[in-house]
mmCIF file of all heavy atoms in Angstrom:
data_model
loop_
_atom_site.group_PDB
_atom_site.id
_atom_site.type_symbol
_atom_site.label_atom_id
_atom_site.label_comp_id
_atom_site.label_asym_id
_atom_site.label_seq_id
_atom_site.Cartn_x
_atom_site.Cartn_y
_atom_site.Cartn_z
ATOM 1 N N TRP A 25 105.719 89.611 169.537
ATOM 2 C CA TRP A 25 105.175 88.413 168.948
ATOM 3 C C TRP A 25 104.293 87.690 169.980
ATOM 4 O O TRP A 25 104.714 87.620 171.098
ATOM 5 C CB TRP A 25 106.324 87.412 168.469
ATOM 6 C CG TRP A 25 107.091 87.865 167.226
ATOM 7 C CD1 TRP A 25 108.178 88.608 167.086
ATOM 8 C CD2 TRP A 25 106.491 87.666 165.860
ATOM 9 N NE1 TRP A 25 108.424 88.905 165.805
ATOM 10 C CE2 TRP A 25 107.448 88.361 165.037
ATOM 11 C CE3 TRP A 25 105.352 87.045 165.369
ATOM 12 C CZ2 TRP A 25 107.289 88.234 163.614
ATOM 13 C CZ3 TRP A 25 105.177 87.050 163.895
ATOM 14 C CH2 TRP A 25 106.144 87.649 163.119
ATOM 15 N N SER A 26 103.208 87.279 169.501
ATOM 16 C CA SER A 26 102.221 86.727 170.443
ATOM 17 C C SER A 26 101.775 85.379 169.713
ATOM 18 O O SER A 26 101.768 85.206 168.604
ATOM 19 C CB SER A 26 100.976 87.603 170.620
ATOM 20 O OG SER A 26 101.393 88.837 171.152
ATOM 21 N N THR A 27 101.045 84.519 170.558
ATOM 22 C CA THR A 27 100.424 83.379 170.066
ATOM 23 C C THR A 27 98.814 83.540 169.924
ATOM 24 O O THR A 27 98.396 84.732 170.429
ATOM 25 C CB THR A 27 100.580 82.134 171.047
ATOM 26 O OG1 THR A 27 100.341 82.691 172.414
ATOM 27 C CG2 THR A 27 101.988 81.633 170.847
ATOM 28 N N VAL A 28 98.102 82.693 169.186
ATOM 29 C CA VAL A 28 96.727 82.954 168.844
ATOM 30 C C VAL A 28 95.880 81.796 169.665
ATOM 31 O O VAL A 28 96.340 80.614 169.617
ATOM 32 C CB VAL A 28 96.432 82.850 167.351
ATOM 33 C CG1 VAL A 28 94.924 82.862 167.147
ATOM 34 C CG2 VAL A 28 97.148 83.982 166.739
ATOM 35 N N CYS A 29 94.878 82.184 170.325
ATOM 36 C CA CYS A 29 94.119 81.267 171.183
ATOM 37 C C CYS A 29 93.286 80.352 170.179
ATOM 38 O O CYS A 29 92.572 80.834 169.195
ATOM 39 C CB CYS A 29 93.115 81.985 172.025
ATOM 40 S SG CYS A 29 93.920 83.187 172.890
ATOM 41 N N ASN A 30 93.287 79.016 170.475
ATOM 42 C CA ASN A 30 92.665 78.058 169.499
ATOM 43 C C ASN A 30 91.146 77.854 169.862
ATOM 44 O O ASN A 30 90.432 77.023 169.275
ATOM 45 C CB ASN A 30 93.392 76.726 169.332
ATOM 46 C CG ASN A 30 93.182 75.902 170.613
ATOM 47 O OD1 ASN A 30 92.776 76.253 171.632
ATOM 48 N ND2 ASN A 30 93.543 74.588 170.452
ATOM 49 N N SER A 31 90.663 78.599 170.876
ATOM 50 C CA SER A 31 89.260 78.260 171.387
ATOM 51 C C SER A 31 88.203 78.652 170.326
ATOM 52 O O SER A 31 87.252 77.997 170.273
ATOM 53 C CB SER A 31 89.007 79.091 172.686
ATOM 54 O OG SER A 31 89.319 80.439 172.471
ATOM 55 N N ILE A 32 88.655 79.519 169.528
ATOM 56 C CA ILE A 32 87.749 79.920 168.407
ATOM 57 C C ILE A 32 88.528 79.934 167.050
ATOM 58 O O ILE A 32 88.168 80.770 166.206
ATOM 59 C CB ILE A 32 86.807 81.249 168.496
ATOM 60 C CG1 ILE A 32 87.939 82.247 169.194
ATOM 61 C CG2 ILE A 32 85.784 81.028 169.589
ATOM 62 C CD1 ILE A 32 87.167 83.675 169.370
ATOM 63 N N TRP A 33 89.388 79.058 166.880
ATOM 64 C CA TRP A 33 90.363 79.095 165.711
ATOM 65 C C TRP A 33 89.696 77.914 164.885
ATOM 66 O O TRP A 33 90.007 76.807 165.041
ATOM 67 C CB TRP A 33 91.726 78.726 166.116
ATOM 68 C CG TRP A 33 92.741 78.738 164.990
ATOM 69 C CD1 TRP A 33 93.351 77.534 164.479
ATOM 70 C CD2 TRP A 33 93.181 79.817 164.096
ATOM 71 N NE1 TRP A 33 94.125 77.863 163.420
ATOM 72 C CE2 TRP A 33 94.173 79.124 163.205
ATOM 73 C CE3 TRP A 33 93.121 81.164 164.154
ATOM 74 C CZ2 TRP A 33 94.859 79.903 162.259
ATOM 75 C CZ3 TRP A 33 93.732 81.854 163.226
ATOM 76 C CH2 TRP A 33 94.706 81.260 162.291
ATOM 77 N N TYR A 34 88.914 78.325 163.797
ATOM 78 C CA TYR A 34 88.355 77.365 162.992
ATOM 79 C C TYR A 34 88.946 77.297 161.506
ATOM 80 O O TYR A 34 89.731 78.031 161.321
ATOM 81 C CB TYR A 34 86.804 77.503 162.957
ATOM 82 C CG TYR A 34 86.186 77.461 164.385
ATOM 83 C CD1 TYR A 34 85.490 78.481 165.013
ATOM 84 C CD2 TYR A 34 86.167 76.204 165.081
ATOM 85 C CE1 TYR A 34 85.002 78.456 166.185
ATOM 86 C CE2 TYR A 34 85.761 76.043 166.362
ATOM 87 C CZ TYR A 34 85.059 77.139 166.872
ATOM 88 O OH TYR A 34 84.475 77.137 168.143
ATOM 89 N N ASP A 35 88.314 76.501 160.571
ATOM 90 C CA ASP A 35 88.717 76.453 159.264
ATOM 91 C C ASP A 35 88.781 78.015 158.511
ATOM 92 O O ASP A 35 89.634 78.135 157.702
ATOM 93 C CB ASP A 35 87.875 75.518 158.395
ATOM 94 C CG ASP A 35 88.461 73.986 158.667
ATOM 95 O OD1 ASP A 35 89.489 73.917 159.388
ATOM 96 O OD2 ASP A 35 87.896 73.146 158.093
ATOM 97 N N THR A 36 87.845 78.811 158.855
ATOM 98 C CA THR A 36 87.708 79.977 158.217
ATOM 99 C C THR A 36 88.959 80.835 158.442
ATOM 100 O O THR A 36 89.724 81.340 157.619
ATOM 101 C CB THR A 36 86.472 80.790 158.578
ATOM 102 O OG1 THR A 36 85.300 79.928 158.283
ATOM 103 C CG2 THR A 36 86.284 82.089 157.773
ATOM 104 N N GLU A 37 89.268 80.925 159.800
ATOM 105 C CA GLU A 37 90.392 81.637 160.222
ATOM 106 C C GLU A 37 91.696 81.129 159.637
ATOM 107 O O GLU A 37 92.657 81.823 159.242
ATOM 108 C CB GLU A 37 90.495 81.655 161.782
ATOM 109 C CG GLU A 37 89.384 82.540 162.507
ATOM 110 C CD GLU A 37 88.042 81.817 162.542
ATOM 111 O OE1 GLU A 37 87.954 80.552 162.341
ATOM 112 O OE2 GLU A 37 87.111 82.573 162.788
ATOM 113 N N ALA A 38 91.891 79.770 159.849
ATOM 114 C CA ALA A 38 92.978 79.112 159.300
ATOM 115 C C ALA A 38 93.221 79.318 157.780
ATOM 116 O O ALA A 38 94.393 79.417 157.304
ATOM 117 C CB ALA A 38 93.045 77.545 159.690
ATOM 118 N N THR A 39 92.224 79.209 157.016
ATOM 119 C CA THR A 39 92.123 79.420 155.496
ATOM 120 C C THR A 39 92.607 80.832 155.192
ATOM 121 O O THR A 39 93.446 81.108 154.319
ATOM 122 C CB THR A 39 90.796 79.161 154.960
ATOM 123 O OG1 THR A 39 90.420 77.826 155.224
ATOM 124 C CG2 THR A 39 90.728 79.430 153.376
ATOM 125 N N VAL A 40 92.149 81.835 155.955
ATOM 126 C CA VAL A 40 92.630 83.225 155.780
ATOM 127 C C VAL A 40 94.145 83.293 155.887
ATOM 128 O O VAL A 40 94.653 83.941 155.066
ATOM 129 C CB VAL A 40 91.789 84.164 156.742
ATOM 130 C CG1 VAL A 40 92.414 85.584 156.580
ATOM 131 C CG2 VAL A 40 90.354 84.244 156.405
ATOM 132 N N LEU A 41 94.543 82.685 156.929
ATOM 133 C CA LEU A 41 96.006 82.830 157.244
ATOM 134 C C LEU A 41 96.850 82.018 156.195
ATOM 135 O O LEU A 41 97.877 82.695 155.611
ATOM 136 C CB LEU A 41 96.353 82.299 158.599
ATOM 137 C CG LEU A 41 97.857 82.364 158.997
ATOM 138 C CD1 LEU A 41 98.337 83.696 158.905
ATOM 139 C CD2 LEU A 41 98.200 81.792 160.360
ATOM 140 N N CYS A 42 96.432 80.827 155.877
ATOM 141 C CA CYS A 42 97.149 80.061 154.743
ATOM 142 C C CYS A 42 97.250 80.945 153.452
ATOM 143 O O CYS A 42 98.346 81.086 152.826
ATOM 144 C CB CYS A 42 96.379 78.724 154.543
ATOM 145 S SG CYS A 42 96.578 77.536 155.765
ATOM 146 N N ARG A 43 96.135 81.545 153.068
ATOM 147 C CA ARG A 43 96.111 82.359 151.812
ATOM 148 C C ARG A 43 96.907 83.574 151.950
ATOM 149 O O ARG A 43 97.673 83.913 150.991
ATOM 150 C CB ARG A 43 94.633 82.502 151.419
ATOM 151 C CG ARG A 43 93.960 81.442 150.970
ATOM 152 C CD ARG A 43 92.471 81.677 150.602
ATOM 153 N NE ARG A 43 91.696 80.421 150.280
ATOM 154 C CZ ARG A 43 90.456 80.415 149.817
ATOM 155 N NH1 ARG A 43 89.822 81.431 149.873
ATOM 156 N NH2 ARG A 43 89.947 79.394 149.416
ATOM 157 N N THR A 44 96.812 84.252 153.117
ATOM 158 C CA THR A 44 97.686 85.387 153.354
ATOM 159 C C THR A 44 99.217 85.038 153.238
ATOM 160 O O THR A 44 100.044 85.862 152.587
ATOM 161 C CB THR A 44 97.513 85.982 154.772
ATOM 162 O OG1 THR A 44 96.081 86.449 154.962
ATOM 163 C CG2 THR A 44 98.362 87.198 155.003
ATOM 164 N N LEU A 45 99.572 83.942 153.671
ATOM 165 C CA LEU A 45 101.022 83.539 153.665
ATOM 166 C C LEU A 45 101.394 82.889 152.220
ATOM 167 O O LEU A 45 102.531 82.497 152.071
ATOM 168 C CB LEU A 45 101.392 82.532 154.784
ATOM 169 C CG LEU A 45 101.146 83.068 156.203
ATOM 170 C CD1 LEU A 45 101.380 81.949 157.179
ATOM 171 C CD2 LEU A 45 102.040 84.216 156.462
ATOM 172 N N GLY A 46 100.435 82.742 151.385
ATOM 173 C CA GLY A 46 100.631 82.256 150.082
ATOM 174 C C GLY A 46 100.823 80.654 150.220
ATOM 175 O O GLY A 46 101.675 80.135 149.408
ATOM 176 N N CYS A 47 100.214 80.118 151.130
ATOM 177 C CA CYS A 47 100.367 78.713 151.353
ATOM 178 C C CYS A 47 99.239 77.835 150.962
ATOM 179 O O CYS A 47 99.064 76.597 151.463
ATOM 180 C CB CYS A 47 100.745 78.426 152.818
ATOM 181 S SG CYS A 47 102.240 79.175 153.431
ATOM 182 N N GLY A 48 98.370 78.400 150.212
ATOM 183 C CA GLY A 48 97.241 77.458 149.700
ATOM 184 C C GLY A 48 96.148 77.427 150.735
ATOM 185 O O GLY A 48 95.712 78.592 151.312
ATOM 186 N N ASP A 49 95.525 76.383 151.038
ATOM 187 C CA ASP A 49 94.309 76.077 151.965
ATOM 188 C C ASP A 49 94.775 75.268 153.184
ATOM 189 O O ASP A 49 95.874 74.755 153.099
ATOM 190 C CB ASP A 49 93.188 75.491 151.168
ATOM 191 C CG ASP A 49 92.484 76.640 150.307
ATOM 192 O OD1 ASP A 49 92.385 77.756 150.741
ATOM 193 O OD2 ASP A 49 92.125 76.272 149.225
ATOM 194 N N VAL A 50 93.844 75.204 154.111
ATOM 195 C CA VAL A 50 94.145 74.626 155.430
ATOM 196 C C VAL A 50 93.934 73.001 155.212
ATOM 197 O O VAL A 50 93.052 72.507 154.597
ATOM 198 C CB VAL A 50 93.248 74.986 156.564
ATOM 199 C CG1 VAL A 50 91.724 74.976 156.187
ATOM 200 C CG2 VAL A 50 93.582 74.532 157.834
ATOM 201 N N LEU A 51 95.053 72.171 155.787
ATOM 202 C CA LEU A 51 94.739 70.833 155.939
ATOM 203 C C LEU A 51 94.435 70.354 157.346
ATOM 204 O O LEU A 51 93.583 69.533 157.613
ATOM 205 C CB LEU A 51 96.112 70.152 155.527
ATOM 206 C CG LEU A 51 96.601 69.994 154.032
ATOM 207 C CD1 LEU A 51 97.784 69.313 153.835
ATOM 208 C CD2 LEU A 51 95.472 69.072 153.378
ATOM 209 N N GLN A 52 95.150 70.922 158.255
ATOM 210 C CA GLN A 52 94.944 70.593 159.762
ATOM 211 C C GLN A 52 95.164 71.712 160.496
ATOM 212 O O GLN A 52 95.718 72.791 160.232
ATOM 213 C CB GLN A 52 95.938 69.433 160.151
ATOM 214 C CG GLN A 52 95.640 68.145 159.593
ATOM 215 C CD GLN A 52 96.922 67.129 160.094
ATOM 216 O OE1 GLN A 52 97.888 67.020 159.334
ATOM 217 N NE2 GLN A 52 96.789 66.647 161.084
ATOM 218 N N ARG A 53 94.583 71.634 161.815
ATOM 219 C CA ARG A 53 94.745 72.661 162.809
ATOM 220 C C ARG A 53 95.276 72.056 164.187
ATOM 221 O O ARG A 53 94.568 71.957 165.069
ATOM 222 C CB ARG A 53 93.328 73.306 163.131
ATOM 223 C CG ARG A 53 92.918 74.160 161.819
ATOM 224 C CD ARG A 53 91.481 75.001 162.104
ATOM 225 N NE ARG A 53 90.345 74.103 161.962
ATOM 226 C CZ ARG A 53 89.597 73.670 163.026
ATOM 227 N NH1 ARG A 53 89.872 74.193 164.161
ATOM 228 N NH2 ARG A 53 88.619 72.837 162.879
ATOM 229 N N PRO A 54 96.573 71.821 164.142
ATOM 230 C CA PRO A 54 97.064 71.233 165.425
ATOM 231 C C PRO A 54 97.192 72.304 166.590
ATOM 232 O O PRO A 54 96.989 73.511 166.321
ATOM 233 C CB PRO A 54 98.473 70.901 165.019
ATOM 234 C CG PRO A 54 98.837 71.736 163.843
ATOM 235 C CD PRO A 54 97.450 72.004 163.157
ATOM 236 N N ALA A 55 97.261 71.900 167.733
ATOM 237 C CA ALA A 55 97.339 72.655 168.984
ATOM 238 C C ALA A 55 98.827 72.717 169.409
ATOM 239 O O ALA A 55 99.420 71.691 169.420
ATOM 240 C CB ALA A 55 96.341 72.379 169.891
ATOM 241 N N PHE A 56 99.210 73.915 169.991
ATOM 242 C CA PHE A 56 100.624 74.060 170.648
ATOM 243 C C PHE A 56 100.410 74.618 171.939
ATOM 244 O O PHE A 56 99.266 74.981 172.449
ATOM 245 C CB PHE A 56 101.510 74.811 169.757
ATOM 246 C CG PHE A 56 101.709 74.243 168.299
ATOM 247 C CD1 PHE A 56 100.895 74.460 167.288
ATOM 248 C CD2 PHE A 56 102.798 73.582 168.251
ATOM 249 C CE1 PHE A 56 101.088 73.863 166.044
ATOM 250 C CE2 PHE A 56 103.104 72.970 166.833
ATOM 251 C CZ PHE A 56 102.215 73.218 165.762
ATOM 252 N N ALA A 57 101.605 74.691 172.664
ATOM 253 C CA ALA A 57 101.548 75.392 173.960
ATOM 254 C C ALA A 57 101.746 76.957 173.784
ATOM 255 O O ALA A 57 102.341 77.438 172.771
ATOM 256 C CB ALA A 57 102.667 74.904 174.891
ATOM 257 N N HIS A 58 101.190 77.778 174.625
ATOM 258 C CA HIS A 58 101.356 79.266 174.575
ATOM 259 C C HIS A 58 102.721 79.485 175.254
ATOM 260 O O HIS A 58 102.838 79.171 176.542
ATOM 261 C CB HIS A 58 100.268 79.937 175.460
ATOM 262 C CG HIS A 58 99.052 79.981 174.702
ATOM 263 N ND1 HIS A 58 98.732 80.737 173.747
ATOM 264 C CD2 HIS A 58 97.760 79.317 175.065
ATOM 265 C CE1 HIS A 58 97.412 80.609 173.337
ATOM 266 N NE2 HIS A 58 96.881 79.836 174.294
ATOM 267 N N THR A 59 103.643 80.022 174.680
ATOM 268 C CA THR A 59 104.873 80.305 175.301
ATOM 269 C C THR A 59 105.443 81.796 175.112
ATOM 270 O O THR A 59 106.500 82.203 175.499
ATOM 271 C CB THR A 59 106.111 79.380 174.917
ATOM 272 O OG1 THR A 59 106.174 79.410 173.415
ATOM 273 C CG2 THR A 59 105.870 78.055 175.364
ATOM 274 N N LEU A 60 104.557 82.576 174.325
ATOM 275 C CA LEU A 60 104.895 83.974 174.121
ATOM 276 C C LEU A 60 104.057 84.985 175.122
ATOM 277 O O LEU A 60 102.948 84.450 175.529
ATOM 278 C CB LEU A 60 104.642 84.343 172.610
ATOM 279 C CG LEU A 60 105.542 83.475 171.615
ATOM 280 C CD1 LEU A 60 105.122 83.755 170.309
ATOM 281 C CD2 LEU A 60 106.973 83.921 171.879
ATOM 282 N N PRO A 61 104.554 86.146 175.237
ATOM 283 C CA PRO A 61 103.876 86.965 176.302
ATOM 284 C C PRO A 61 102.528 87.428 176.021
ATOM 285 O O PRO A 61 101.623 87.473 176.834
ATOM 286 C CB PRO A 61 104.746 88.176 176.293
ATOM 287 C CG PRO A 61 105.543 88.251 175.091
ATOM 288 C CD PRO A 61 105.777 86.796 174.796
ATOM 289 N N GLY A 62 102.194 87.526 174.651
ATOM 290 C CA GLY A 62 100.822 88.033 174.362
ATOM 291 C C GLY A 62 99.821 86.990 173.704
ATOM 292 O O GLY A 62 100.296 85.950 173.349
ATOM 293 N N LYS A 63 98.601 87.259 173.743
ATOM 294 C CA LYS A 63 97.642 86.345 173.219
ATOM 295 C C LYS A 63 96.687 87.101 172.254
ATOM 296 O O LYS A 63 96.163 88.299 172.668
ATOM 297 C CB LYS A 63 96.786 85.689 174.250
ATOM 298 C CG LYS A 63 97.566 84.906 175.363
ATOM 299 C CD LYS A 63 97.427 83.492 175.395
ATOM 300 C CE LYS A 63 98.158 82.744 176.555
ATOM 301 N NZ LYS A 63 99.295 83.467 177.111
ATOM 302 N N MET A 64 96.339 86.571 171.200
ATOM 303 C CA MET A 64 95.434 87.115 170.170
ATOM 304 C C MET A 64 94.317 86.159 169.947
ATOM 305 O O MET A 64 94.383 84.949 169.923
ATOM 306 C CB MET A 64 96.163 87.414 168.841
ATOM 307 C CG MET A 64 95.534 88.355 167.989
ATOM 308 S SD MET A 64 95.377 90.043 168.540
ATOM 309 C CE MET A 64 96.135 90.944 167.162
#
């Protein structure tokens, strides 16, 4: 399991993920800390 870098994480990427997970569309894009070994 890895985290995703938010340097280029925009509404398009977030929308793709929301829809993939069956969660509708994006409302917000909060930031978190990286605590997992890999980065994507």
Side-chain angles (χ1 to χ4, degrees):
W25 285 97
S26 302
T27 43
V28 173
C29 310
N30 76 346
S31 49
I32 43 177
W33 179 255
Y34 299 118
D35 275 359
T36 305
E37 290 78 18
T39 300
V40 170
L41 182 58
C42 287
R43 292 181 182 179
T44 299
L45 296 175
C47 293
D49 285 317
V50 59
L51 279 178
Q52 288 173 265
R53 292 182 281 110
F56 295 85
H58 288 290
T59 55
L60 294 174
K63 307 243 189 333
M64 191 72 126

